[in-house]
Amino acid sequence: MKTKLIYEFDNENHNGNLQMKGSLLDLIAVAGEILKEVSKVAAKALDEEPEDMAIRIAGATIDMLMDEKKGEANE
């Protein structure tokens, strides 16, 4: 089975769509690779350390999940 991630982003409406197919372990590994590479690019652009950027990105992701969870609880 192939592992596939497709992300589409509409700049006009600021909406994103992510589709994933594959084994859970493969998807986790891919997510880690994406975080690593994005952290490197962000660190270079902001003159910071990649490790610090990875922590900030992971923290922002946790915040988004918590906001999503709170939104679901309010429905």
Side-chain angles (χ1 to χ4, degrees), residues 6-61:
I6 300 171
Y7 183 73
E8 298 173 326
F9 186 77
D10 180 353
N11 285 327
E12 187 174 311
N13 297 319
H14 301 285
N15 291 329
N17 182 34
L18 178 64
Q19 298 175 22
M20 299 179 291
K21 292 181 182 178
S23 74
L24 179 59
L25 290 178
D26 289 342
L27 292 170
I28 291 169
V30 169
E33 286 296 319
I34 292 169
L35 175 59
K36 183 175 78 173
E37 293 305 316
V38 169
S39 297
K40 287 179 184 178
V41 171
K44 186 173 183 180
L46 299 173
D47 195 30
E48 296 198 22
E49 294 297 321
E51 299 84 359
D52 295 335
M53 291 307 305
I55 291 168
R56 289 172 58 184
I57 293 167
T61 303

